[in-house]
Amino acid sequence: MNFILEISFRLFLTMLFAFLITPLIRNLAFIIGAVDQPNKRRINTEPMPTAGGLAIFISFSLSILFLFNDIIPTSYALHLIIPSGIIVVTGLIDDIFEISPRQKMIGILLAALYVCFVFDIIMHSITLPYIGTIHFGWLSYPITILWIAGLTNAINLIDGLDGLASGVSIIALTTIGIIGYIGASTGAVHIVVPLSIFILLMSTLGFFPFNFYPAKLYLGDTGALFLGFLISLLSLQGLKNATFISLITPLIILGVPLTDTVFAMIRRLLNKKPISSADKMHLHHRLISLGFTHRGAVVMIYCMSLIFSLISFLYLFTNTWGTIFLTIASLLGLQLFIELIELSGENRQPLLHALKFIGNKAYRQKKLLDRKKKKE
């Protein structure tokens, strides 16, 4: 059998297995008490089984260990499964007992420490245009841990609507997998990395029909943390000696969850609230408050994720100056969108005010007059 066809068939079996075990995981969630009860922070109006990420984790683990054991070394597979298992246990405990963000962070840090000191995956340096290579030295460890913790929590924080985190992860994994495959064809990345990404992608696709609106099973912290962690780990394997493009590409691909996370932190700091405190000002909340339906808000965020993914592909074909201008244009466009939907909070729209000051004569004169009065 043709190698590509054989791999495709195994990936299909991975997806089929995830699809078949998901109803069993749904029943298990009720038995173990992994159920989201309705409250003022939740979207659901009736008890919903969660911890659906168990189906993705089991499918991924069995597939990478047995279906692809002739391509992916067992030692490599275990280095993915063991720290992921720590994450899954942490998420499952939260889905059942609702532990604090600090307690969840302990599990994430344990998994990140395994990656650094056992798996030996560390971001050692970065090469920047016109600057050269910057070696991180002992900072390699905190930078790597920060990368893992940041991406893991980003996927978890966006998990607020049916199918949102799983759908965004599917788009991100598809993009990272294709870019990883291109890297593997040039020898920049080992083939086991994109293959592992595609195994995770197919495991998530098998679960997705049960999670899309109206969901029969939630991803839960079990799944959201697991997806975020593995995306961070698999993307990190091409960043041991990063370049500006290799570093920024996964950040662009994950632009939606990372933006939501960063502005949630900024918003809470400006409002003098703990960073870990909850609110209803996340991207999906803002879209619903603007009149989007549940399904409409999810599809809108999918479209945004696709735009970020397409931008990430453009980096493969740009020179240094093109990369710089593309990054600046993307950041300006993103900032404008954020201010339009008031993601950073009300009356925090510096770019909009600047554009209005330039393009609206009456507004400009009023602002200049107000400044003059204040000086007097």
Side-chain angles (χ1 to χ4, degrees):
M1 185 184 292
N2 181 277
F3 179 74
I4 297 297
L5 287 177
E6 184 179 343
I7 293 298
S8 299
F9 179 68
R10 296 187 200 182
L11 289 172
F12 172 77
L13 289 179
T14 301
M15 182 179 68
L16 181 62
F17 181 71
F19 180 82
L20 293 175
I21 67 168
T22 298
L24 302 178
I25 298 299
R26 184 178 187 275
N27 294 334
L28 177 65
F30 280 116
I31 293 170
I32 63 178
V35 180
D36 265 359
Q37 299 295 338
N39 60 44
K40 61 182 181 180
R41 283 181 52 206
R42 309 283 187 187
I43 298 293
N44 55 302
T45 56
E46 59 184 39
M48 279 291 296
T50 186
L54 275 175
I56 302 175
F57 173 69
I58 293 170
S59 176
F60 172 80
S61 299
L62 294 179
S63 179
I64 201 170
L65 279 173
F66 300 108
L67 275 180
F68 292 90
N69 62 333
D70 58 331
I71 304 172
I72 299 176
T74 301
S75 58
Y76 177 84
L78 289 175
H79 280 321
L80 296 181
I81 293 169
I82 292 172
S84 295
I86 296 171
I87 294 291
V88 167
V89 169
T90 302
L92 185 60
I93 292 171
D94 183 65
D95 285 334
I96 298 173
F97 301 106
E98 291 197 25
I99 58 179
S100 69
R102 288 184 179 180
Q103 290 171 319
K104 279 190 284 188
M105 187 55 70
I106 292 173
I108 295 171
L109 289 176
L110 286 173
L113 289 172
Y114 180 97
V115 171
C116 289
F117 295 100
V118 181
F119 198 5
D120 195 29
I121 300 295
I122 305 163
M123 196 184 302
H124 292 290
S125 64
I126 183 170
T127 302
L128 299 175
Y130 306 113
I131 296 175
T133 302
I134 300 172
H135 295 280
F136 296 134
W138 65 269
L139 287 174
S140 298
Y141 295 99
I143 288 172
T144 302
I145 291 171
L146 183 63
W147 175 274
I148 293 172
L151 296 191
T152 301
N153 278 299
I155 298 295
N156 189 39
L157 285 175
I158 204 173
D159 185 28
L161 297 178
D162 297 2
L164 184 53
S166 55
V168 168
S169 296
I170 286 169
I171 294 168
L173 287 167
T174 302
T175 309
I176 296 171
I178 294 171
I179 292 175
Y181 180 76
I182 295 171
S185 65
T186 62
V189 180
H190 198 284
I191 189 63
V192 298
V193 177
L195 186 54
S196 300
I197 292 169
F198 285 124
I199 294 170
L200 180 59
L201 169 63
M202 300 310 285
S203 299
T204 310
L205 279 170
F207 163 80
F208 185 69
F210 300 92
N211 189 230
F212 189 66
Y213 183 82
K216 299 179 180 65
L217 175 64
Y218 284 168
L219 188 63
D221 274 31
T222 305
L225 291 175
F226 168 62
L227 284 174
F229 174 77
L230 260 192
I231 288 172
S232 71
L233 174 53
L234 291 167
S235 63
L236 186 63
Q237 291 181 54
L239 297 175
K240 283 189 175 183
N241 298 295
T243 63
F244 178 74
I245 292 178
S246 67
L247 178 68
I248 200 171
T249 298
L251 297 179
I252 293 291
I253 293 169
L254 294 168
V256 171
L258 285 175
T259 298
D260 198 29
T261 301
V262 169
F263 276 87
M265 294 169 65
I266 293 172
R267 186 172 60 245
R268 289 161 189 170
L269 287 172
L270 291 173
N271 293 328
K272 298 180 180 179
K273 293 181 179 179
I275 291 177
S276 60
S277 64
D279 61 28
K280 299 198 74 171
M281 287 289 290
H282 286 286
L283 177 57
H284 50 278
H285 292 131
R286 293 302 306 147
L287 291 176
I288 288 177
S289 70
L290 290 172
F292 282 78
T293 62
H294 189 126
R295 187 193 296 265
V298 171
V299 172
M300 176 64 179
I301 296 174
Y302 288 170
C303 291
M304 291 174 61
S305 296
L306 282 170
I307 291 171
F308 277 112
S309 292
L310 291 173
I311 291 172
S312 71
F313 280 117
L314 293 178
Y315 280 101
L316 299 176
F317 307 101
T318 58
N319 57 22
T320 301
W321 281 107
T323 298
I324 293 170
F325 285 127
L326 183 59
T327 302
I328 292 172
S330 300
L331 290 174
L332 285 173
L334 181 61
Q335 178 65 28
L336 187 60
F337 175 78
I338 287 164
E339 292 183 12
L340 285 170
I341 66 170
E342 298 182 348
L343 186 63
S344 54
E346 295 180 7
N347 302 318
R348 296 194 180 103
Q349 301 166 312
L351 182 57
L352 274 176
H353 287 309
L355 293 173
K356 195 174 179 181
F357 186 86
I358 295 169
N360 188 318
K361 185 178 179 181
Y363 178 82
R364 182 168 61 251
Q365 289 176 339
K366 182 179 180 300
K367 285 292 181 182
L368 291 172
L369 184 61
D370 289 343
R371 289 178 188 175
K372 187 176 180 181
K373 289 179 178 180
K374 285 182 180 179
K375 287 181 180 178
E376 292 175 352

